[in-house]
């Protein structure tokens, strides 16, 4: 028996219905596909959070053991299957949410469709015209993504430290000559390359403004 797999209790044969039934598994997968938290997924399936996490832990241990080249454990098959299905479902939910964030960032979402009919003054024919109102691009969706996906650069606690008292690996000294501003500018450019600003600021259309939630 592999040490990678956690010990588990044998199944009860007292006639009590098995807790991890096909119906419970289907509910857990369906709930996970919506992206809800683990606690809510367990509640929607009618089981406890600890039971759900315990099954997932056993399934993960079995999957990792198999990936490491160990022989499958038939007793852990149902937990491995649950783990794989739930993991895929949660990844699907995350991908769908990311697509929605990208749509908001890019803009162009139809919010209103107006159709009107009028008579063409030249031809006298009835003409139908449809006008769509679409959302403008929203840089805040991109900012939200960067803050969470790239915390080291864009997180709220990220610190941008730029050393300007020396150039290269040479230590700064009061006896050194004047600072090479061109070289310093290049260093700053390389350091600050990851800093991005909203399009309104980049194109100069906003001279002075305040960003509020």
């Amino acid at each position: 028996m592999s040490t990678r797999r956690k010990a588990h209790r044998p199944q009860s044969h007292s006639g009590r219905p098995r807790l991890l039934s096909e119906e419970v598994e289907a509910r857990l997968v369906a709930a996970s596909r919506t992206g809800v938290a683990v606690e809510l997924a367990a509640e929607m399936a009618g089981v406890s959070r600890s039971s759900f996490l315990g099954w997932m832990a056993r399934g993960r241990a079995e999957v990792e053991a198999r990936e490491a080249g160990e022989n499958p454990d038939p007793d852990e098959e149902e937990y491995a299957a649950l783990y794989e299905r739930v993991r895929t479902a949660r990844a699907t939910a995350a991908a769908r949410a990311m697509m929605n964030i990208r749509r908001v960032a890019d803009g162009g979402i139809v919010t209103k469709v107006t159709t009107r009919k009028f008579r063409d003054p030249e031809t006298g024919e009835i003409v139908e015209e449809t006008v769509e109102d679409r959302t403008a691009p929203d840089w805040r969706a991109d900012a939200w993504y960067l803050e969470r996906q790239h915390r080291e650069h864009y997180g709220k606690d990220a610190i941008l430290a730029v050393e300007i008292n020396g150039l290269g690996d040479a230590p700064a000294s009061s006896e050194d000559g004047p600072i090479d501003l061109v070289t310093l500018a290049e260093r700053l450019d390389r350091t600050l390359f990851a800093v991005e600003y909203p399009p309104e600021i980049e194109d100069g259309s906003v001279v002075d403004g305040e960003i509020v939630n």
Side-chain angles (χ1 to χ4, degrees), residues 145-181:
Y145 167 77
L146 291 172
E147 180 183 329
R148 287 158 178 78
Q149 191 68 17
H150 302 282
R151 292 180 181 273
E152 69 277 15
H153 296 303
Y154 303 98
K156 293 181 179 179
D157 299 328
I159 299 176
L160 181 62
V162 181
E163 182 183 1
I164 62 173
N165 63 341
L167 298 176
D169 297 329
S173 171
S174 59
E175 298 178 356
D176 291 341
I179 294 178
D180 186 342
L181 296 180

Side-chain angles (χ1 to χ4, degrees), residues 6 13 16 31 34 48 75 98 104 112 116 136 157 181 184 205:
K6 297 181 179 180
H13 299 285
R16 181 179 179 180
T34 67
S48 66
D75 293 338
M98 191 65 249
V104 173
K112 181 180 179 182
R116 70 186 185 94
D157 299 328
L181 296 180
L184 177 58
S205 59

